[in-house]
Amino acid sequence: MSQNTDLEQLEARLQRLEDIEAIKQLKADYCALCDEGYDEDRLADLFTEDAGWDGGALGVAEGREKIRKFFHNTPRVMPFAVHMVMNPRIEIDGDSAT
């Protein structure tokens, strides 16, 4: 292997780890905002303009503004939340992740 290939592989590995950590931090921010009373503006800001939020039986919201509206009404439907997130399974595929 050339030194250039080694460096490219190292950069790719580092980028993958940074991406996973950024997603873990994003999830932690989301959980904290929900658990602290559903600040709809700050929650909506966590999502891209074309994001989708799927809460199963709670509903689905497509797009940042609909997500904002969902969280505006959430305290009436669910006055509190307690999120416990552990052992994340995050798969990175280029610019996408699941």
Side-chain angles (χ1 to χ4, degrees):
M1 284 190 152
S2 72
Q3 191 172 8
N4 202 24
T5 301
D6 288 344
L7 183 57
E8 288 171 0
Q9 288 178 348
L10 181 59
E11 287 174 348
R13 290 173 56 207
L14 179 58
Q15 185 63 57
R16 179 180 172 277
L17 292 173
E18 288 177 343
D19 292 346
I20 289 171
E21 187 59 30
I23 292 168
K24 289 192 301 189
Q25 294 301 314
L26 178 65
K27 287 175 65 174
D29 291 344
Y30 170 83
C31 292
L33 288 169
C34 288
D35 296 351
E36 294 167 1
Y38 310 104
D39 182 323
E40 69 260 23
D41 292 326
R42 290 177 61 202
L43 278 161
D45 287 345
L46 297 177
F47 293 86
T48 61
E49 287 293 333
D50 62 346
W53 183 90
D54 186 345
L58 296 174
V60 174
E62 296 291 336
R64 184 182 285 155
E65 287 312 308
K66 288 185 180 174
I67 292 169
R68 183 185 321 277
K69 286 180 184 177
F70 172 84
F71 283 111
H72 176 78
N73 294 318
T74 299
R76 292 176 191 92
V77 177
M78 188 174 15
F80 72 93
V82 177
H83 286 82
M84 294 180 64
V85 180
M86 57 193 90
N87 300 327
R89 290 186 179 169
I90 301 169
E91 297 295 326
I92 304 293
D93 184 14
D95 289 339
S96 297
T98 53

